[in-house]
Amino acid sequence: MPGAADIEIPSSRPSVGRFAPSPTGPLHFGSLVAAIGSFLHVRKKGGQWLVRMEDVDKPREMPGAADSILRTLDRFGLEWDGAVLYQSRRTASYEQALHMLQEKGFVYGCTCTRKEIAERAHMGLDGPVYPGTCRVKKDGHQSERAWRFIVPAQSVCFADELLGEHCFNMAADMGDFVVRRADGLFAYQLAVVVDDAAQGVTEVVRGADLLLSTPRQLVLQQALGLATPTYLHLPLALNADGEKLSKQTLAPSVAQADVSALWIQVLQFLGQAVPRELEHAPMAELRAWALANWLPENIPRHAARVVVQL
Ligand code: GLU
Ligand code: ZN
């Protein structure tokens, strides 16, 4: 089971980064930050930048959003390597991973309802901590059930490239988490781990809202015998009310926005000192400057409010 080891990537391994949007709506400023941040971070090293469409949760998908996201990336000069990987076509690989977890005893079936969990669970770092009710109750007959991963008793640590060392007591603060939902859909945590490995991803750069997902992904990687990439969590962009920019908080789409103006705003949000003379430069020039001058150490460590000028 996972210990507290930090993972070192041998320098001979070519860098592979990725941007993994969920097509629940068009790109907004926050997702553009993740796209540009992950792009610059890996391309600066001469690595590959992949795009993966995280459409595993079909009921939450917005029709047309996947294509809109790809067109927007294209408009912003974010050219990806290889073909886009669609999670909706990856079910067989997720099945295989779940099967392996079942064989090795890392998961158990859970028949608890939301209500039952809410009654017994205490609040953790990221929602209610599942109290482990079904860990012991071997209910082999119920077919309508979720599959939960047994989190380790000892703490799980990793060194974020920007935020430094983080340790989590998963048992107390998160609980056994779902890898396959009762409705049969695979959970984000499992799909991400299987796909990051399948795509040879060596560095994950994404928003800090996913920091709490990282220990879950580390323990899954260890259970499945997969390599662990490095992680860098970018600061979250907040709206004027201090809420995370998202579809729920009605963050405006950047699909039609002025590309150069948005590039500059994203670079400034990421702490990059864009020279004044580039203020009206075309996108390709901004991108070239950003690639040549990318300084990840200047990225702010904290979430910040942004008033996005579209
Ligand atoms: N699909 C996730 C999201 O849009 C991101 C997954 C990741 O970068 O690991 O929030
Ligand atoms: Zn249960």
Side-chain angles (χ1 to χ4, degrees), residues 113-125:
T113 62
R114 238 174 246 267
K115 185 161 166 279
E116 283 167 337
I117 295 171
E119 279 164 9
R120 303 192 52 178
H122 69 274
M123 255 346 227
L125 292 174

Side-chain angles (χ1 to χ4, degrees), residues 86-102:
Y86 288 83
Q87 288 194 324
S88 53
R89 298 177 196 159
R90 301 268 306 142
T91 309
S93 299
Y94 308 149
E95 297 266 8
Q96 211 175 13
L98 177 65
H99 189 71
M100 186 166 170
L101 295 174
Q102 288 167 335

Side-chain angles (χ1 to χ4, degrees), residues 18-24 31 52 54 87 188 192 196 204-207 209-210 213 217 231 244:
R18 55 36 162 214
F19 174 56
S22 304
T24 54
S31 35
R52 179 169 73 233
E54 302 215 314
Q87 288 194 324
Y188 156 72
V192 139
D196 279 341
V204 171
V205 176
R206 60 186 178 190
D209 53 330
L210 292 163
S213 288
Q217 294 171 15
Y231 289 90
K244 180 193 151 199

Side-chain angles (χ1 to χ4, degrees), residues 75-282:
R75 268 192 82 221
F76 278 83
L78 301 167
E79 290 145 14
W80 57 88
D81 292 292
V84 174
L85 187 75
Y86 288 83
Q87 288 194 324
S88 53
R89 298 177 196 159
R90 301 268 306 142
T91 309
S93 299
Y94 308 149
E95 297 266 8
Q96 211 175 13
L98 177 65
H99 189 71
M100 186 166 170
L101 295 174
Q102 288 167 335
E103 294 274 281
K104 292 186 175 177
F106 281 111
V107 291
Y108 58 87
C110 168
T111 52
C112 299
T113 62
R114 238 174 246 267
K115 185 161 166 279
E116 283 167 337
I117 295 171
E119 279 164 9
R120 303 192 52 178
H122 69 274
M123 255 346 227
L125 292 174
D126 196 14
V129 175
Y130 178 70
T133 323
C134 300
R135 254 202 211 196
V136 283
K137 188 182 85 193
K138 290 268 181 277
D139 188 346
H141 304 295
Q142 260 281 15
S143 55
E144 283 281 292
R145 61 178 165 186
W147 286 90
R148 286 185 184 272
F149 184 87
I150 303 174
V151 298
Q154 66 272 47
S155 59
V156 173
C157 300
F158 62 93
D160 184 274
E161 271 193 75
L162 181 68
L163 304 174
E165 183 85 356
H166 274 72
C167 290
F168 293 95
N169 182 342
M170 299 182 74
D173 299 328
M174 300 182 180
D176 296 343
F177 58 91
V178 171
V179 291
R180 185 181 209 164
R181 296 169 11 180
D183 62 8
L185 287 179
F186 284 96
Y188 156 72
Q189 307 293 356
L190 183 76
V192 139
V193 157
V194 170
D195 289 344
D196 279 341
Q199 293 187 285
V201 170
T202 61
E203 49 186 84
V204 171
V205 176
R206 60 186 178 190
D209 53 330
L210 292 163
L211 190 70
L212 292 172
S213 288
T214 302
R216 297 176 176 123
Q217 294 171 15
L218 294 185
V219 296
L220 276 175
Q221 285 153 359
Q222 299 203 9
L224 291 165
L226 302 172
T228 288
T230 59
Y231 289 90
L232 189 160
H233 290 89
L234 299 169
L236 275 189
L238 309 175
N239 66 18
D241 296 326
E243 301 162 321
K244 180 193 151 199
L245 296 183
S246 70
K247 195 187 164 195
Q248 287 71 33
T249 60
L250 307 176
S253 163
V254 296
Q256 309 299 329
D258 177 328
V259 169
S260 293
L262 261 281
W263 255 96
I264 292 178
Q265 289 178 71
V266 169
L267 289 172
Q268 288 173 340
F269 181 81
L270 291 173
Q272 310 299 300
V274 184
R276 266 221 109 108
E277 59 269 24
L278 287 182
E279 224 164 82
H280 299 287

